[in-house]
Amino acid sequence: MICVETQHFNLNRILLLAIGLWPYEKSKFRKLQATLCFGILTSFVIFQLTALIIANCTADYVKIFSSATFFNICILNYNMFWINGHHVKNMLQQLQCFCNELKDENEFAILKKYGHYFRQFTIILIVMAICWLFIITFVPIWPQIFGSVLYINESQLQSQKIQIMTEYFIDQEKYFYLIMLHINAAICIGVTTLVGTGTLLLGCIIHICGLLTITSYRVEQITTKTSKNIKNQTMIYNKKIFYAVEIHYKIIKFCECLCSNFKGSFFLLLITTVSSLSLNLFGTFQNASLGDNKGFLLHLLLSFAIILFMFLVNYFGQEMINHNNHVYFTAYNSQWYNASLHAQKMILFILLRSSKDCNLNIGGMFVASFECFSSLIKTAVSYFTVMYSIEE
């Protein structure tokens, strides 16, 4: 027996519990925690946008909008899971139902293999997120931490300011550490949101790939001879093909529900992500030309995070398409002529359904795939090129 929540999604459970988004937790403390986290994220974006009041050059506008749009991505992800918590819970429950309906040890082994792969993938992303957080939050304040040891004077300490522009309408030198606390808390919540929600959605896609592999396995087993009795053989054929058709139908319905439940959120994420990437690419080149190393590092890190986020979504979307195509080719190349007439008709159902892509539709505009990733990158680069040409 496989328990999806504790065996495959336990790391996601820890991350989402930390920010109040785990759908199985509905206590008053969880609601307070979610409100607080969402409030910190939202207020951080607001205080970035208020910096437009004091901005006096194009570089400042780019710096403000590039970081603000990045954290808008975090807010959209947070809001998507907060509002659709019941849908997330239903998805996990459906995955558990799939696990409960597995028929033999080989099918358990296949799903465990994909679950192990998902856990390794989640651990790698968490480690990368910790390194990213370390660079973006601690590097700017090392002089403050070791100021007394390195004998750095007060003017040098105050010059070491975070590159994310904000305006709190208070004395920023006097309340420097309080402001830094708010900024770092928002960054930690935002990154935890991206990793926790992103890996959970990608985990659902990885499990779909595993279930499609199980579908292919069941199709391969349809014409395996298990009995010399023709009557028994026919019954076994019919039962195997029924199980294959059933799980394939449920997988397609699961994918359709996943896309429809988050369609609006995916659409907003798509627009915000492309806009943020364009602005951060522009900020990276702009700060490189001005010789601003800290600004260059900030925009480079934000651009890297966005490109990685886009690549992973499209990579696993492509994997889902490939696994569905494998089901089609497996059914097409099977020894269907050895099966009964009833089984042959049911194989036709798999061929017809798998001929249509089982995919992740992003906002009703794009299908997650390598082609989609290429299109989004080209769009972002084209916007960056326009901004760069206008700036010159």
Side-chain angles (χ1 to χ4, degrees):
M1 177 64 69
I2 297 175
C3 181
V4 171
E5 179 184 347
T6 58
Q7 293 180 327
H8 295 178
F9 289 91
N10 57 330
L11 293 175
N12 306 85
R13 177 179 177 273
I14 294 170
L15 291 172
L16 294 180
L17 277 174
I19 53 177
L21 287 181
W22 185 244
Y24 288 91
E25 183 66 34
K26 294 185 178 180
S27 63
K28 291 183 179 179
F29 174 76
R30 178 257 179 184
K31 295 179 180 179
L32 177 64
Q33 184 185 19
T35 304
L36 179 63
C37 290
F38 186 76
I40 291 173
L41 271 178
T42 306
S43 62
F44 182 50
V45 172
I46 291 173
F47 286 130
Q48 287 181 74
L49 295 177
T50 53
L52 292 170
I53 299 172
I54 61 171
N56 52 16
C57 63
T58 306
D60 289 342
Y61 287 116
V62 172
K63 189 178 293 184
I64 292 167
F65 281 115
S66 59
S67 59
T69 51
F70 176 82
F71 286 97
N72 270 328
I73 296 173
C74 302
I75 290 175
L76 288 172
N77 272 279
Y78 197 100
N79 191 56
M80 177 174 66
F81 266 62
W82 195 6
I83 293 176
N84 299 297
H86 58 290
H87 291 313
V88 178
K89 184 177 179 180
N90 289 336
M91 285 194 308
L92 295 175
Q93 289 174 343
Q94 287 182 52
L95 287 177
Q96 185 60 56
C97 290
F98 282 125
C99 295
N100 296 338
E101 294 173 359
L102 299 182
K103 301 302 178 183
D104 57 45
E105 291 300 322
N106 290 330
E107 294 182 358
F108 279 107
I110 291 171
L111 201 61
K112 285 180 180 179
K113 175 185 174 182
Y114 279 84
H116 179 67
Y117 169 64
F118 168 60
R119 278 179 54 81
Q120 288 182 324
F121 165 74
T122 304
I123 291 171
I124 292 171
L125 274 188
I126 290 173
V127 172
M128 291 178 65
I130 291 172
C131 295
W132 191 90
L133 277 172
F134 178 81
I135 295 172
I136 204 169
T137 58
F138 287 103
V139 168
I141 63 172
W142 278 126
Q144 282 83 354
I145 296 174
F146 294 107
S148 58
V149 178
L150 300 176
Y151 302 103
I152 299 175
N153 60 43
E154 186 67 22
S155 61
Q156 288 177 308
L157 289 177
Q158 294 298 339
S159 65
Q160 301 291 333
K161 293 184 179 181
I162 192 71
Q163 288 298 311
I164 299 177
M165 290 188 64
T166 54
E167 176 55 56
Y168 288 84
F169 303 105
I170 57 176
D171 188 344
Q172 296 209 17
E173 292 184 356
K174 182 178 180 181
Y175 297 99
F176 178 79
Y177 292 104
L178 189 61
I179 292 172
M180 286 295 297
L181 176 63
H182 180 251
I183 292 174
N184 289 338
I187 292 173
C188 290
I189 293 170
V191 173
T192 304
T193 300
L194 282 180
V195 176
T197 59
T199 53
L200 191 143
L201 288 174
L202 294 178
C204 291
I205 298 173
I206 291 172
H207 281 76
I208 290 172
C209 293
L211 293 168
L212 288 170
T213 302
I214 291 172
T215 305
S216 299
Y217 167 77
R218 289 184 178 181
V219 173
E220 290 173 350
Q221 297 299 308
I222 288 171
T223 55
T224 301
K225 294 183 179 180
T226 56
S227 174
K228 294 182 180 180
N229 188 301
I230 297 177
K231 184 177 180 180
N232 291 340
Q233 184 70 35
T234 301
M235 291 177 62
I236 293 170
Y237 282 158
N238 293 341
K239 185 178 291 187
K240 287 182 177 180
I241 190 61
F242 172 77
Y243 290 147
V245 172
E246 181 187 36
I247 192 172
H248 192 245
Y249 174 76
K250 289 181 178 179
I251 292 169
I252 292 174
K253 286 296 181 183
F254 182 82
C255 293
E256 290 175 353
C257 289
L258 174 63
C259 295
S260 62
N261 291 336
F262 300 102
K263 184 177 181 180
S265 299
F266 285 161
F267 177 74
L268 292 175
L269 274 173
L270 181 67
I271 297 174
T272 309
T273 302
V274 173
S275 302
S276 184
L277 180 58
S278 301
L279 288 166
N280 280 288
L281 287 175
F282 180 70
T284 301
F285 280 85
Q286 187 182 55
N287 283 279
S289 61
L290 295 174
D292 186 351
N293 294 328
K294 287 186 178 180
F296 171 78
L297 179 62
L298 173 67
H299 291 294
L300 184 66
L301 287 171
L302 295 179
S303 299
F304 171 77
I306 295 168
I307 292 173
L308 179 63
F309 177 77
M310 291 168 61
F311 173 76
L312 290 174
V313 171
N314 287 284
Y315 171 77
F316 286 109
Q318 183 67 54
E319 282 294 301
M320 189 161 64
I321 294 172
N322 294 342
H323 279 72
N324 186 61
N325 291 339
H326 185 261
V327 174
Y328 176 83
F329 291 124
T330 303
Y332 184 81
N333 295 321
S334 66
Q335 298 179 359
W336 52 269
Y337 45 82
N338 289 332
S340 65
L341 181 61
H342 177 70
Q344 290 179 22
K345 290 179 180 179
M346 297 188 75
I347 290 175
L348 185 60
F349 280 112
I350 293 181
L351 289 171
L352 291 173
R353 284 179 185 149
S354 54
S355 63
K356 299 179 181 179
D357 286 338
C358 176
N359 51 46
L360 179 65
N361 192 299
I362 304 176
M365 298 177 61
F366 292 94
V367 173
S369 62
F370 289 142
E371 183 180 355
C372 174
F373 176 70
S374 176
S375 299
L376 294 177
I377 293 295
K378 287 179 181 177
T379 303
V381 172
S382 65
Y383 291 155
F384 152 70
T385 305
V386 171
M387 287 187 289
Y388 194 76
S389 62
I390 293 173
E391 175 68 13
E392 289 186 341

